[in-house]
Amino acid sequence: KSKLDLNIDGSDVLEHVHAISKTNPFWNELSASNPFIYDIAASNRNENSKYLSVLKENPYLFSRVSSNRESLASSGDELDIDCLLRKTSSRRSGRSKSISDFLDIIDNRRLNPHKTAPQKPLAADTVWLQNDREAYKMAWLSHRQLTRSCLDLEARSQSPGWAQTQATDVHIVGKLNHEGGSVQLPDSDINVHIPVGHVVPGEFQEVGLKAILNPPSSLNNELSITVSPLIEITLSNLNTREAIFLEVKGAAKVKNDPLSQVMTDIVCFYSHSKEGPFKKLQSCYFYEDTIQVKLTDLSHLMYTVIAVQANKIQPPATTVWDYVHRTVSVGIYGPKYIHPSFTAVFAAFGHNYIPRKLTICDIKKGGKNMPPVVFQLWGKHTLLLEKPQDLNISLISCDPDFEVKVENQSKSIKEQQLKTGEMVRQQFLFSMLGSREMHFFLFLVQIEDLKSGQVMQFCVTTPDPAPKLSGIVSRPKCLQRRKEIKSAPLLLIPTVKYPKFQDKCLNINTYGVALKTVLRQSKIDYLLEYFKGDTIALLGEDKIKAIGQTKIKEWYVGVLRRKVGLVHRKNVKVVSKEQAMDTADSELLTRNLVEQIALPFKKLTYIYSVVLSTVSESVYDWRALAEVLGYSHMSWDDFNEKYVDKESERVAHVVKRLKEDCHANKKKRLFLYELIVALLKIDCQGLVARLTQDTVILTSAVKLGKCWRELAEKLARLTKQQIEAYEVPHQGKNGEVTLEMMWKPAYDFLYTWGAHYGDSYRDVLQDLQSALDKMKNPVTKHWRELTGALILVNCMDVLRASAFSTEEEE
């Protein structure tokens, strides 16, 4: 008989436990923290256990003989009987197994049809935990009071939005060779640059970056304020030849007046310890609000922080704040999913780094302290504060189905809290009214300066409600699928096969017969001209609202004589494909459709860096993009010199190549136009819609200038005070926003307004068009690109139906 098939007597188990309890000085605390072995430990002391253990129901659970040896192993820190009997197939030892490893064993047993027990609904008792992976996991984590965002079983059943177990620290480690490179902390302006020859050929340098949100308190006083988080840098190799460079964007700019320039310096403080003492580094280089620091005194662990320091304070100035334009970043955090009652957290940072996740340790529910919860970033904003001052914070629900609890409606931030530079947090409790169906909603964040009465505000959209958990346990195949995904590489990029673009005639189902002749003396872009009796192909039955020569009308998108444009709905009689007489003039190839509907991008304003990052994150096959752009000759050799490791970097390289070629031939090639045409040809319609909305909003802001105030009143009914709040961060020395800078508050407003729509990009473009058309002097009379963008998004369906065959995908 093999060793694996031996039966274990229950007395042997107890003897083993008794031996451990004598040698382990922490045994009493261990048993108290682990409900699954408490009754074993208590059995030697003849005590009645107040915990219910799975061993009480089945004392021979660890010693059960099975053909596959599917043992539960042990849930104890010391009591690992199963590990003593056999070698685990995992690379990790039994002692270092996680709770997920133990639960995988339960999965294997439960998925065996001969052993599957009937499932029971979530209940307060734990008898049935042997058969429910999720419940077992939650019971284990909550009883042990792990520092994770899990609650007890009953709280979890009522509030699934709390059940999150993500990492709480944001850090990154990069491995570089003698060729050097850069490491960037995710979602930040914090970079470490490693020059060529930093380490000798054949050796490597592992660089770790971590941001500590609360800076050293000793560096925040009347003469000094920190403008970056405390940055922890770790190095694995000190056998180096070259220094390294830290690049950080600070949250302050020294004012341009001579006194401020003389009195104030932006400096970098350095230490080998988190608490200090800190020394000032001399080798610093500046460009506007970005500072680059040369680090020569290297060690395995280093701490740096950027600060603004004044030599002395000269009246009327009272602190170093009076010499700088200081910004404060605000983040609104909440659970991953909303539920009938949830907490939102307002967090203010004295630097530019706003983490995507934030751990909150002082959450209370029902008067009791909850375990630490990991909150997700819902929205962010930047404020310009000329000096530290008392602020009043309010969160106002814009949805009648939700309310902020009365006692939580208004909170304050004290002047002294801002002076210390530490993160300031305020909690707001939301609750749902009545028993309506859960849905995401919008709320307003208002920040009021108590001295001046100025109000700054921005809107935040909550995430969706939590997915329903019922039925997960009763479907073993779902668990199997989840296990397979869990074991896949973390950095696996989804395999996406982009469809082949087919250049063929559009498949049209609806036509319009012109009831009158329309010819225009002054030609208007995107509006068709036609003769009475012409048959016009209609690209869908949806109507677009847009201004014509004098007033707003409803239009169909049509094709006539190989031109795509709008035709007034009252000027055509709609007929079916069978009723249409002569359709020769209304035929169009898919290639011509793509080229025409992308025409607005020849005149829309864009930010290249935003377009580059958006496309590189959303396209998963660089070859597909390169082929439609005419770079089918590109191969892996083109990337070797660039040391490109990720697919996103290869896509970015293709986009940069297009930008360079278009820049070299500006008269014939326009970057954004060619990129949009290429994305449409690989069926990236979601990405095109996103780029369309972003560029239209940016161009609208630029076109509007100071007229954005009128638009804000029409679109969102903003008050004069609210409009001023958008302009405050962009005011110059004289307290006014210059005409050249007026696009910035306009963009801030339009971007915030557009975010309320979620994924409804057609509604964003249509509502913006309608609002612009209704202005006293509509910019849309001479700027028609927004109309062209509406034509684009309304043609996407017919393009996909005609240019991409479903048979190929199969």
Side-chain angles (χ1 to χ4, degrees):
K1 186 181 283 188
S2 68
K3 195 171 184 179
L4 291 179
D5 293 327
L6 290 175
N7 267 323
I8 305 175
D9 191 280
S11 59
D12 295 335
V13 176
L14 296 178
E15 285 177 14
H16 178 77
V17 173
H18 185 62
I20 291 173
S21 64
K22 286 183 177 180
T23 57
N24 188 346
F26 303 105
W27 179 254
N28 291 333
E29 289 75 11
L30 169 69
S31 62
S33 67
N34 192 334
F36 302 101
I37 63 169
Y38 182 91
D39 45 338
I40 301 179
S43 64
N44 286 342
R45 301 191 296 269
N46 296 321
E47 295 178 4
N48 293 324
S49 173
K50 62 181 178 179
Y51 297 100
L52 179 64
S53 167
V54 291
L55 289 177
K56 183 164 285 186
E57 291 298 309
N58 189 351
Y60 297 101
L61 187 60
F62 292 138
S63 57
R64 181 176 295 156
V65 177
S66 168
S67 58
N68 295 323
R69 192 61 187 172
E70 293 168 333
S71 168
L72 174 65
S74 168
S75 58
D77 291 35
E78 293 286 345
L79 183 62
D80 203 344
I81 304 300
D82 196 74
C83 180
L84 296 175
L85 294 175
R86 64 185 175 92
K87 292 182 179 178
T88 178
S89 60
S90 171
R91 291 185 178 180
R92 286 178 291 180
S93 67
R95 184 164 303 211
S96 64
K97 282 181 181 177
S98 69
I99 187 63
S100 295
D101 295 325
F102 293 129
L103 295 173
D104 283 344
I105 300 170
I106 294 181
D107 269 350
N108 293 332
R109 291 181 58 221
R110 185 159 54 76
L111 296 175
N112 188 327
H114 300 294
K115 295 185 179 180
T116 303
Q119 302 301 329
K120 299 182 181 181
L122 198 62
D125 64 279
T126 54
V127 175
W128 55 282
L129 292 181
Q130 302 167 59
N131 298 318
D132 191 323
R133 173 190 172 97
E134 286 300 315
Y136 188 99
K137 174 181 175 181
M138 295 305 299
W140 168 262
L141 293 179
S142 63
H143 278 297
R144 287 205 60 180
Q145 294 292 297
L146 290 183
T147 312
R148 298 185 179 194
S149 54
C150 294
L151 308 184
D152 58 82
L153 295 177
E154 292 182 9
R156 182 181 183 273
S157 67
Q158 295 166 9
S159 304
W162 294 103
Q164 308 159 56
T165 53
Q166 297 105 341
T168 56
D169 287 330
V170 177
H171 61 277
I172 190 170
V173 177
K175 187 175 182 179
L176 306 169
N177 59 14
H178 71 285
E179 297 293 343
S182 298
V183 178
Q184 181 180 22
L185 192 70
D187 307 309
S188 76
D189 298 310
I190 301 170
N191 301 269
V192 167
H193 303 292
I194 307 298
V196 177
H198 172 70
V199 292
V200 297
E203 290 193 9
F204 294 91
Q205 178 69 280
E206 286 189 3
V207 182
L209 265 181
K210 180 180 177 181
I212 299 169
L213 298 179
N214 286 329
S217 56
S218 60
L219 298 180
N220 284 279
N221 48 58
E222 290 185 354
L223 291 174
S224 172
I225 50 171
T226 55
V227 292
S228 81
L230 182 62
I231 303 165
E232 180 183 282
I233 305 173
T234 55
L235 300 177
S236 63
N237 188 355
L238 296 183
N239 182 25
T240 59
R241 297 177 173 180
E242 296 283 341
I244 65 175
F245 293 87
L246 171 68
E247 187 178 289
V248 184
K249 192 172 182 180
K253 286 175 66 176
V254 179
K255 293 180 179 178
N256 289 328
D257 61 276
L259 184 62
S260 298
Q261 292 287 327
V262 170
M263 291 292 186
T264 318
D265 289 313
I266 299 179
V267 296
C268 178
F269 287 99
Y270 172 93
S271 176
H272 295 294
S273 170
K274 189 188 297 185
E275 291 77 22
F278 290 87
K279 66 176 182 180
K280 190 190 302 183
L281 295 181
Q282 302 299 327
S283 50
C284 300
Y285 311 92
F286 307 96
Y287 176 73
E288 293 184 349
D289 56 352
T290 300
I291 181 170
Q292 192 177 77
V293 185
K294 185 176 182 180
L295 301 177
T296 53
D297 183 13
L298 302 180
S299 65
H300 288 298
L301 183 63
M302 300 172 286
Y303 292 91
T304 60
V305 63
I306 308 300
V308 178
Q309 198 174 43
N311 302 321
K312 64 177 183 177
I313 305 299
Q314 183 171 318
T318 55
T319 68
V320 67
W321 282 65
D322 296 308
Y323 296 135
V324 296
H325 294 296
R326 179 80 157 93
T327 57
V328 173
S329 299
V330 171
I332 303 297
Y333 293 85
K336 187 174 183 180
Y337 304 110
I338 62 169
H339 42 89
S341 178
F342 65 87
T343 299
V345 176
F346 174 99
F349 306 91
H351 44 74
N352 290 326
Y353 178 56
I354 305 179
R356 283 191 177 273
K357 296 177 182 178
L358 190 66
T359 304
I360 308 296
C361 301
D362 53 354
I363 294 291
K364 290 189 175 182
K365 196 172 181 70
K368 296 180 180 179
N369 289 326
M370 306 308 297
V373 180
V374 178
F375 279 78
Q376 314 287 321
L377 180 63
W378 286 0
K380 57 185 178 181
H381 196 68
T382 302
L383 311 175
L384 180 66
L385 286 183
E386 292 298 333
K387 57 179 64 178
Q389 53 205 338
D390 293 342
L391 300 174
N392 195 56
I393 313 299
S394 302
L395 266 60
I396 303 163
S397 174
C398 300
D399 192 303
D401 292 347
F402 288 85
E403 69 170 2
V404 184
K405 290 286 186 180
V406 176
E407 63 273 15
N408 286 268
Q409 277 183 350
S410 183
K411 301 288 180 80
S412 63
I413 294 178
K414 300 299 181 185
E415 177 181 328
Q416 189 57 37
Q417 290 177 298
L418 293 174
K419 283 183 177 179
T420 61
E422 294 187 358
M423 174 179 62
V424 182
R425 297 196 318 264
Q426 295 290 355
Q427 298 175 17
F428 295 84
L429 182 63
F430 282 80
S431 63
M432 190 174 183
L433 298 173
S435 55
R436 301 178 180 89
E437 186 178 348
M438 287 288 296
H439 57 271
F440 71 88
F441 65 97
L442 190 76
F443 62 88
L444 191 66
V445 182
Q446 288 188 341
I447 305 165
E448 183 182 6
D449 179 355
L450 295 180
K451 292 182 180 177
S452 67
Q454 281 189 337
V455 177
M456 296 155 278
Q457 66 178 18
F458 61 100
C459 292
V460 176
T461 304
T462 71
D464 291 321
K468 294 182 179 179
L469 301 178
S470 59
I472 291 180
V473 175
S474 61
R475 290 198 292 267
K477 288 183 180 178
C478 290
L479 287 175
Q480 279 183 322
R481 235 182 350 258
R482 187 171 61 189
K483 270 180 61 181
E484 290 166 5
I485 293 170
K486 184 189 71 176
S487 61
L490 292 176
L491 298 178
L492 184 64
I493 293 177
T495 304
V496 176
K497 183 183 178 183
Y498 288 101
K500 186 75 174 175
F501 181 81
Q502 298 173 8
D503 188 15
K504 59 183 185 182
C505 281
L506 294 179
N507 184 18
I508 305 297
N509 295 318
T510 310
Y511 290 83
V513 179
L515 300 176
K516 59 185 286 189
T517 298
V518 175
L519 297 173
R520 297 179 176 85
Q521 272 190 328
S522 55
K523 308 300 181 185
I524 301 177
D525 291 339
Y526 306 109
L527 299 189
L528 287 179
E529 293 183 319
Y530 40 88
F531 296 97
K532 185 177 180 179
D534 279 343
T535 301
I536 304 169
L538 302 184
L539 306 183
E541 296 184 18
D542 292 338
K543 292 180 279 290
I544 292 173
K545 289 182 181 179
I547 196 168
Q549 190 80 43
T550 56
K551 61 181 180 179
I552 299 169
K553 302 175 182 177
E554 288 188 341
W555 311 79
Y556 290 117
V557 180
V559 176
L560 182 64
R561 288 181 275 277
R562 292 192 297 176
K563 183 178 180 183
V564 181
L566 299 181
V567 53
H568 185 204
R569 70 175 183 84
K570 290 186 178 180
N571 290 349
V572 292
K573 180 185 177 182
V574 178
V575 297
S576 64
K577 188 175 185 179
E578 293 75 20
Q579 294 172 310
M581 299 293 289
D582 183 11
T583 60
D585 284 347
S586 57
E587 290 179 354
L588 190 71
L589 295 175
T590 51
R591 172 174 51 85
N592 299 131
L593 177 64
V594 168
E595 291 168 354
Q596 284 204 53
I597 61 179
L599 283 175
F601 290 93
K602 287 189 173 183
K603 297 181 180 179
L604 288 175
T605 305
Y606 64 94
I607 300 173
Y608 171 67
S609 59
V610 174
V611 172
L612 178 65
S613 61
T614 304
V615 174
S616 59
E617 289 168 6
S618 306
V619 176
Y620 298 109
D621 186 356
W622 70 269
R623 285 191 182 90
L625 183 62
E627 187 174 343
V628 293
L629 285 171
Y631 300 136
S632 53
H633 60 277
M634 288 182 70
S635 66
W636 285 100
D637 296 334
D638 295 301
F639 299 108
N640 288 343
E641 295 181 4
K642 303 288 182 181
Y643 300 98
V644 180
D645 297 323
K646 298 178 183 177
E647 191 71 16
S648 61
E649 293 176 354
R650 297 187 190 103
V651 172
H653 181 67
V654 174
V655 176
K656 289 175 185 175
R657 172 75 177 271
L658 174 66
K659 175 69 174 175
E660 291 167 2
D661 291 349
C662 291
H663 188 72
N665 192 3
K666 290 181 180 179
K667 292 183 179 179
K668 292 186 178 181
R669 303 187 68 183
L670 294 170
F671 165 71
L672 191 58
Y673 170 77
E674 295 208 9
L675 179 62
I676 293 296
V677 168
L679 293 175
L680 287 171
K681 285 185 176 181
I682 58 174
D683 199 27
C684 290
Q685 292 195 358
L687 176 56
V688 170
R690 181 178 168 188
L691 291 171
T692 303
Q693 181 174 324
D694 289 349
T695 50
V696 163
I697 283 177
L698 177 61
T699 313
S700 300
V702 173
K703 291 284 181 184
L704 281 167
K706 64 181 180 181
C707 295
W708 83 271
R709 298 163 182 165
E710 181 190 345
L711 180 71
E713 291 176 6
K714 289 186 180 298
L715 273 180
R717 297 181 182 176
L718 293 191
T719 64
K720 185 179 179 182
Q721 201 174 30
Q722 290 169 332
I723 290 171
E724 288 175 356
Y726 275 102
E727 296 185 352
V728 165
H730 309 289
Q731 289 176 353
K733 297 177 186 177
N734 58 357
E736 293 183 2
V737 182
T738 59
L739 194 59
E740 306 84 56
M741 299 295 287
M742 192 61 80
W743 69 270
K744 291 188 174 182
Y747 179 77
D748 289 346
F749 163 70
L750 285 173
Y751 185 86
T752 306
W753 168 79
H756 304 169
Y757 286 78
D759 296 328
S760 303
Y761 57 90
R762 289 193 188 188
D763 293 338
V764 173
L765 299 177
Q766 181 61 81
D767 289 356
L768 180 58
Q769 171 87 59
S770 299
L772 290 172
D773 285 342
K774 290 175 183 176
M775 292 176 67
K776 292 176 182 177
N777 295 303
V779 295
T780 45
K781 275 214 168 187
H782 51 83
W783 173 63
R784 297 278 175 171
E785 274 57 58
L786 177 49
T787 307
L790 277 169
I791 293 174
L792 164 67
V793 297
N794 277 276
C795 288
M796 284 184 172
D797 291 339
V798 70
L799 174 64
R800 175 171 282 169
S802 301
F804 302 103
S805 172
T806 53
E807 294 176 3
E808 265 199 18
E809 295 172 2
E810 295 172 2

